[in-house]
Amino acid sequence: MKFERNGLFGFLALAALVPFVVHDQYVLHIAIMVLFYAVLATSLNLVVGYVGEFSLGHTAFLGTGAYAAAILSTRYGWPMWLTIPVAGLLAAAVGGLIGAITLRLQGPFFVIVTLSFAEVLRLVADNWIGLTNGPMGIAGVPQPGLLANAGNLASKQFYYALAWGLLAIGLYLSYRFVHSNAGRAAVAIRENRYVAQSIGVRPLTYSMLALVLGAFLSGMAGGFYAHYISFVGPEMFRFAFMVSMIIMVLIGGKGTLVGPLIGALLVTFLEEYLREAKELRLSIFGLAVIAIVLFLPQGLMGFAGRSRERRHPAAPAVPLAPAAAPAAGAVPTGTGRTA
């Protein structure tokens, strides 16, 4: 627990120094995307890593948040300070609705139904032209008024600070959940659903808490993305975002809070480095996932944890001293006999 807390503080502290050291707009953009993906990976990890259900429909919450922020800001003139939290709340409501149906299922049934919900929302965004503008998407999502006279570098620094704040909120909420009774109940469900039920843990209740919290964080990330990119389209619901989130969680280590951060950092930079490879990069990512699953099934954080245990093994348990034999002629107590 202490190692994980120190890792989170260390990551946030180093990330806070980036805008003071880096003044290249392209590098700042990559750093912003790292923080954005870190929020997404953290939100997915709550369901995959702690509840143990492999969701493929997390883009439903991302797209809901992005469209909510875009519609509220372009049509109703809401400021970004309101659209992002409202986007998270709407995504949480969608998460509660989807979870009430899907969390009653297990295994491949859960995977297929969650993916189906994301696909249904993509079709709605693609065909409800009056609300979402169909395949054309919603362009010109407004940015805050304080950036009207700011330069490109100042705008990047502002969005970096905003992304850092969203990640800090996401990590705080996730940490409080994981180390609460609800989080421990979720882990019990992950380890053995039926044993957890036998001791009074309600799987649907605690799985729902994890899913709704993950949907809230993903929806806020979607609202941030809408304002930062200034465009939202049906591709927000596509499987490409889902693949990136899954790879980040698996590479970093599911069931840990630091793992998704490391995965987001590695995968985002690798995607940019392999951008010229085009279609080949998907094959490279596929090979990377296969290698991780085969050789590092617990991800990089699991490997680091095992290495730390080998360097600092736990002290062996001290055996209890055997009870002293009674003296000759002594009468055992508690038998009701008299000498």
Side-chain angles (χ1 to χ4, degrees):
M1 180 176 176
K2 183 178 179 181
F3 172 77
E4 185 175 60
R5 184 171 62 247
N6 292 340
L8 296 178
F9 277 121
F11 185 91
L12 288 174
L14 290 175
L17 298 176
V18 170
F20 299 101
V21 178
V22 177
H23 300 287
D24 184 273
Q25 295 183 38
Y26 174 71
V27 177
L28 274 177
H29 168 72
I30 300 303
I32 290 170
M33 296 309 296
V34 168
L35 298 181
F36 164 72
Y37 274 116
V39 176
L40 289 182
T42 299
S43 67
L44 177 64
N45 185 49
L46 291 174
V47 181
V48 175
Y50 290 98
V51 177
E53 295 290 356
F54 206 87
S55 172
L56 289 184
H58 219 65
T59 51
F61 315 131
L62 172 67
T64 298
Y67 268 103
I71 293 172
L72 291 174
S73 60
T74 56
R75 297 193 180 184
Y76 301 101
W78 285 30
M80 186 178 68
W81 317 111
L82 284 177
T83 58
I84 290 180
V86 169
L89 293 175
L90 288 176
V94 173
L97 177 62
I98 293 178
I101 300 172
T102 59
L103 288 174
R104 302 176 189 276
L105 307 173
Q106 298 179 45
F109 303 103
F110 177 83
V111 174
I112 293 171
V113 175
T114 53
L115 178 61
S116 301
F117 269 107
E119 184 63 17
V120 166
L121 289 179
R122 186 191 68 80
L123 292 175
V124 169
D126 214 9
N127 292 280
W128 194 351
I129 298 177
L131 179 66
T132 65
N133 204 26
M136 301 298 293
I138 301 174
V141 180
Q143 298 185 355
L146 58 89
L147 297 180
N149 299 320
N152 291 333
L153 178 60
S155 297
K156 290 286 192 245
Q157 291 172 335
F158 168 81
Y159 276 108
Y160 183 89
L162 181 58
W164 187 92
L166 288 178
L167 178 60
I169 293 172
L171 291 178
Y172 173 76
L173 294 177
S174 299
Y175 185 87
R176 292 298 301 270
F177 171 78
V178 168
H179 295 288
S180 67
N181 290 334
R184 286 185 279 271
V187 172
I189 296 168
R190 179 192 68 189
E191 296 300 323
N192 194 310
R193 189 183 190 94
Y194 301 106
V195 171
Q197 282 181 298
S198 69
I199 59 175
V201 174
R202 300 184 297 275
L204 181 61
T205 300
Y206 295 105
S207 300
M208 180 74 77
L209 286 175
L211 181 64
V212 169
L213 177 57
F216 174 74
L217 298 179
S218 184
M220 286 206 304
F224 165 82
Y225 186 86
H227 285 280
Y228 176 59
I229 302 298
S230 295
F231 174 79
V232 174
E235 63 272 6
M236 295 295 297
F237 296 100
R238 292 193 181 276
F239 198 60
F241 276 109
M242 194 71 241
V243 170
S244 297
M245 286 187 273
I246 292 172
I247 294 175
M248 291 169 188
V249 172
L250 292 181
I251 288 180
K254 61 182 181 178
T256 67
L257 292 176
V258 181
L261 307 181
I262 298 174
L265 181 65
L266 293 177
V267 173
T268 304
F269 276 100
L270 189 59
E271 280 186 343
E272 289 299 319
Y273 183 76
L274 296 175
R275 182 173 294 277
E276 295 182 359
K278 297 181 180 179
E279 304 299 332
L280 182 60
R281 64 177 177 170
L282 296 178
S283 301
I284 295 174
F285 280 132
L287 292 175
V289 171
I290 293 174
I292 288 292
V293 170
L294 290 178
F295 302 107
L296 295 174
Q298 299 302 318
L300 295 176
M301 284 303 298
F303 175 76
R306 290 194 300 271
S307 300
R308 190 174 66 257
E309 290 174 359
R310 286 196 294 266
R311 289 195 305 268
H312 306 287
V318 179
L320 296 175
V331 178
T333 60
T335 59
R337 295 170 57 185
T338 57

